[in-house]
Each structure stands twice: as C-alpha cells, then as structure tokens.
Amino acid sequence: MEGEDKPKRRRHRSLSEDEHKLWKAVVKDTRPLSRGKIIPIPEHGVAPTKAAGPKIAPVPKPVSSVPRIRSVPEIVKLAPAPPPLNTLDRRTSQRLARGQIEAEARLDLHGMRQDEAQPALLHFLTRTRAGGLRCVLVITGKGESPFARHTLHSTRYHEASDHSGVLRSALPQWLGEPQFRVQVSGFQPAHPRHGGGGAFYVWLRKR
C-alpha cells in the first residue's frame, strides 16, 4: 500500500581501523570449534560451567585406641623325663652279688666332701658310659654302721635309718636324680672282695 512505510535496509559499512584492532584482540585466544559441534549459549551469553561444589573429605573409620592382639596358642615343648632306675635282672644281680662279674672301671670317692663327690661321680659315669662300658664300681667307704659288715645284704639296705656313712647314704639319692638316671639303669652293693658295704656296682645304660 502506498501509505505504508517500507522497512529500510541496513547498509553494511566497513570496519574502521580501531574496530579491526579491537576485534583481533577479542578473538586472539579463541579456538575454532570442531565440525558439527554445537555449544548451547545461555540467555546471559556465558557458556555454562560445571559448578564446583565444596570438597568433602572422607570420614575416616573409627580406630579403636586399644590394638587387637591375636591370641596365639603357646607351644611348650617339654623335655622327656629321664627313664627311672630299674632293678637288675635276677641272673645279673646274683652274679654281681657273688662277685662273678668284674667291674670295667672304678671310682674311689672315699674321703671326699659331698660337694666334691657328686660332680666327680657324674663326670665318671658320663665318661665311662660314653666309652661303651656297662658295669663300674663306685667306692664310698663303709662308715660306722652294722651294715658295713654285711656282705650279701638286700639291694634295698640303703633305706635303713641307722646308716652313718655320709657318701654311702647320699649315693643312692644322687643316682635317683634326673641327670644320673640318664646314665644309670640300676645299682646294688658290691661283693666283699670288691668293697662290700662300702662300694656299689653301678650298671650303665646302653648308648
């Protein structure tokens, strides 16, 4: 219609030299987008960024103030008990009582104190057993006792209460101790020609 105003076309003008410099400064740090990639622009003209929320440190697990100790069963290895003293077999005991078996070695403790005689006896028995001997003679002395004149008394005579020979009374007790039982299997009083009531036949264990 003749009375209506037609929209005026916008004329494109060339940029001035200052505008060219400003544009170059704006696009200096920009990078071209890959082909086909479109980034939506929000209403305010700023690209959306991922909001960085506050960093929350992980809560550590509660640790008990007292450390847990695993109970480990204790393994205690007990040393085997030494074998007990045995009475000699009847035939051997009779031959010893009759003096038919000769001792392979002898030790004379007569005149020693107990603290000297006991280690000397243990050393003697250990050495002779290591040498493969079986029957040894240990002389203690008779002392003042009616049993001193006995020749064929019982092998249990040393349990009598009226013995006065100190070493003769002590020797059966020593031979019953563990360190002696390892070496000795049995003992009995000697024949009169080997010392009688003042000496003992000691039978050693086999190696």
Side-chain angles (χ1 to χ4, degrees):
M1 296 178 67
E2 294 181 0
E4 294 180 358
D5 295 332
K6 294 182 180 179
K8 295 181 180 181
R9 293 184 178 179
R10 223 179 251 187
R11 293 182 180 179
H12 296 283
R13 66 180 181 83
S14 58
L15 299 175
S16 65
E17 186 177 355
D18 292 337
E19 291 173 339
H20 273 292
K21 291 179 180 180
L22 180 60
W23 176 251
K24 287 181 179 180
V26 171
V27 299
K28 180 176 65 173
D29 296 329
T30 60
R31 296 290 183 271
L33 296 174
S34 58
R35 190 172 183 181
K37 187 173 182 181
I38 301 175
I39 298 177
I41 300 176
E43 296 179 358
H44 300 289
V46 181
T49 57
K50 187 177 181 180
K55 294 182 178 180
I56 301 175
V59 180
K61 295 182 179 180
V63 179
S64 175
S65 59
V66 181
R68 294 182 62 187
I69 301 175
R70 296 182 180 179
S71 59
V72 179
E74 295 184 0
I75 301 175
V76 180
K77 294 183 178 180
L78 299 177
L85 291 176
N86 299 320
T87 56
L88 302 178
D89 63 88
R90 184 176 179 181
R91 184 171 181 273
T92 302
S93 179
Q94 289 177 348
R95 292 183 65 195
L96 287 172
R98 294 168 185 168
Q100 296 175 350
I101 297 179
E102 292 293 333
E104 299 171 284
R106 67 174 56 203
L107 172 67
D108 191 352
L109 300 176
H110 188 262
M112 290 187 183
R113 298 193 307 268
Q114 290 191 63
D115 58 349
E116 298 173 336
Q118 186 178 20
L121 175 62
L122 181 60
H123 176 72
F124 170 73
L125 297 177
T126 304
R127 179 171 52 84
T128 51
R129 178 172 176 259
L133 306 186
R134 295 300 308 281
C135 181
V136 297
L137 181 70
V138 179
I139 302 171
T140 60
K142 296 179 181 181
E144 296 299 328
S145 169
F147 287 90
R149 296 181 179 85
H150 263 234
T151 57
L152 298 178
H153 41 256
S154 168
T155 57
R156 298 177 63 83
Y157 86 102
H158 52 77
E159 295 180 1
S161 58
D162 57 346
H163 283 187
S164 58
V166 177
L167 294 183
R168 186 182 55 198
S169 299
L171 185 135
Q173 299 175 8
W174 293 342
L175 295 181
E177 295 176 0
Q179 67 270 28
F180 285 94
R181 297 206 315 262
V182 174
Q183 312 294 340
V184 177
S185 61
F187 66 96
Q188 72 180 51
H191 187 269
R193 70 188 184 95
H194 293 150
F200 291 87
Y201 297 120
V202 179
W203 201 258
L204 302 176
R205 296 187 186 277
K206 291 182 179 180
R207 294 181 58 186

